[in-house]
Amino acid sequence: MTDNFLEPQSLGVPCPRCQRDLQLKKGRYGLFVGCSGYPDCDYMTAADFDPGTDALCPVCQTGKLVQKTSRFGNSFYACDHFPTCKYSVNLPPVSQPCPTCQFPLLLKKKTAAGERLICANDSCDYKSSLK
């Protein structure tokens, strides 16, 4: 068995379709909740976890940036109004305006020397001093 494998865990909640137990499972795109009666019952829903960010999307100004997992297992942050808004970044966002260009979002970047904040705007070169 690989490290990525997770045994299904019963949640003690009945399936809304067939009344069997719902289980927390891991698939190729991350964790999800599915019926224990699969393949007879194919009920499935997203696992509701705290996304860990309260940053507003700088493009649409209405959505929030939520943590997602790519099909390769890498984490990224994307607007929760997808597909209407397709903004995404690879580094953890911080709700703080850039001191140089006033872009409403900074990103946490870990370097060998320490952690610093960089501007999410591609045309800005702002980097905070090392912490």
Side-chain angles (χ1 to χ4, degrees):
M1 292 188 189
T2 64
D3 294 335
N4 294 345
F5 185 73
L6 174 72
E7 287 289 330
Q9 299 174 357
S10 178
L11 299 176
V13 178
C15 174
R17 291 189 190 161
C18 70
Q19 301 306 312
R20 295 182 193 149
D21 277 347
L22 291 180
Q23 295 178 327
L24 180 65
K25 300 178 179 185
K26 182 169 181 173
R28 64 189 291 191
Y29 299 110
L31 296 174
F32 68 95
V33 175
C35 182
S36 62
Y38 181 84
D40 297 330
C41 176
D42 62 353
Y43 178 79
M44 182 182 347
T45 186
D48 293 329
F49 292 107
D50 182 23
T53 177
D54 60 346
L56 282 176
C57 176
V59 175
C60 69
Q61 299 290 323
T62 56
K64 288 195 170 211
L65 296 180
V66 293
Q67 185 174 7
K68 296 188 174 192
T69 305
S70 73
R71 63 181 177 173
F72 303 110
N74 301 326
S75 292
F76 66 97
Y77 298 85
C79 182
D80 62 359
H81 285 182
F82 181 85
T84 307
C85 178
K86 295 183 179 182
Y87 183 78
S88 67
V89 290
N90 290 329
L91 298 172
V94 177
S95 289
Q96 185 176 338
C98 174
T100 306
C101 69
Q102 301 307 313
F103 194 75
L105 190 67
L106 294 176
L107 306 173
K108 282 185 194 176
K109 184 171 185 175
K110 293 181 182 177
T111 63
E115 188 176 277
R116 52 177 26 175
L117 297 175
I118 62 170
C119 185
N121 186 356
D122 292 336
S123 61
C124 180
D125 294 334
Y126 173 75
K127 293 178 185 171
S128 69
S129 59
L130 295 171
K131 291 183 177 182

